[in-house]
C-alpha cells in the first residue's frame, strides 16, 4: 500500500523481481494472482485498451535506458503522451515547454536524443513521464546508466519532485542511493518481500 506523496524505494539483487513489480504497478504486465489497484481501478477488471488509457492518465514511468524515440525531437518526445491522451497539440506542447524549463533542458527542445548527454536524456524521459500529471511516478534504476555526477543530479531532481508532493516509487540496487532517498524501503528477494515496514504518513524529505 502506497499513500499519496509517499516515497518508496524498492531494493533487491538482479532477478529479484524489482522491474516486474514496477511493470505490474504500471499495468504493463498482468498479475497471475493477487490484485493491483491504482487510482481506485482494479487492473484485473480492465480491458487492454482501458488499462492503456488508465496508465496514460495516472502513471508516469522512467526507465534506466531512457526509452526515447530517436527520430523525434525532445519536444515531440515529451509531448507525445499528452497527444496520445487526445490533448490539443498546442496545449501539450506548451506544457512540454514548461516542463523542459523546469528540468533545465529548454535549450534542447529542438534537438534529437542521440545528440544529448545521458543526464540530459534522462531529464527528457522525466519530463515525458510528468507530462500527463501522473498521480504515481515509477522510476526503474533511473541513475543506473549515468555517471556519478549526472546520477546525483537526476536523483536530486526526483527527490525535489517528491518533496513537492509527487508520489514516487524508485527501484535501485544501490544501497547508497537508497540511503539518500530517506523513503520507505521495500526489499525483494526471489520475487518475495523480504522486508517492508508499514507506510508512514506525509511526504519524504
Amino acid at each position: 500500500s502506497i499513500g499519496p506523496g509517499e516515497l518508496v524505494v524498492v531494493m533487491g539483487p538482479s532477478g529479484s523481481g524489482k522491474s516486474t513489480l514496477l511493470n505490474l504497478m504500471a499495468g504493463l504486465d498482468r498479475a497471475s494472482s493477487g490484485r493491483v489497484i491504482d487510482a481506485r481501478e482494479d487492473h484485473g477488471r480492465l480491458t487492454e485498451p482501458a488499462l492503456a488509457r488508465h496508465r496514460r492518465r495516472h502513471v508516469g514511468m522512467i526507465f534506466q535506458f531512457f526509452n526515447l524515440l530517436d527520430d523525434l525531437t525532445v519536444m515531440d518526445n515529451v509531448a507525445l503522451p499528452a497527444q496520445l491522451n487526445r490533448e490539443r497539440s498546442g496545449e501539450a506542447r506548451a506544457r512540454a515547454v514548461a516542463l523542459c524549463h523546469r528540468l533545465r533542458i529548454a535549450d534542447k527542445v529542438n534537438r534529437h536524443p542521440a545528440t544529448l548527454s545521458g543526464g540530459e536524456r534522462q531529464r527528457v524521459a522525466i519530463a515525458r513521464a510528468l507530462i500527463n500529471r501522473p498521480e504515481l511516478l515509477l522510476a526503474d534504476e533511473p541513475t543506473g546508466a549515468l555517471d556519478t555526477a549526472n546520477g546525483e543530479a537526476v536523483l536530486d531532481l526526483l527527490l525535489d519532485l517528491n518533496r513537492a508532493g509527487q508520489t514516487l516509487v524508485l527501484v535501485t540496487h544501490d544501497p547508497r542511493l537508497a540511503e539518500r532517498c530517506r523513503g520507505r524501503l521495500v526489499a525483494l528477494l526471489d520475487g518475495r518481500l523480504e522486508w517492508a515496514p508499514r507506510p508512514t504518513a506525509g511526504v519524504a524529505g
Side-chain angles (χ1 to χ4, degrees), residues 7 12 28 40 58 65 74-75 87 98 135 138 155 177:
L7 168 58
L28 295 171
R40 299 165 296 282
H58 298 285
F65 295 106
V74 166
M75 167 63 72
E87 187 168 342
E135 296 174 24
L138 305 174
L155 179 60
L177 186 148

Side-chain angles (χ1 to χ4, degrees), residues 34-49:
R35 300 168 69 195
V36 178
I37 299 174
D38 164 43
R40 299 165 296 282
E41 289 282 4
D42 186 336
H43 287 195
R45 296 180 179 273
L46 297 176
T47 63
E48 288 298 329

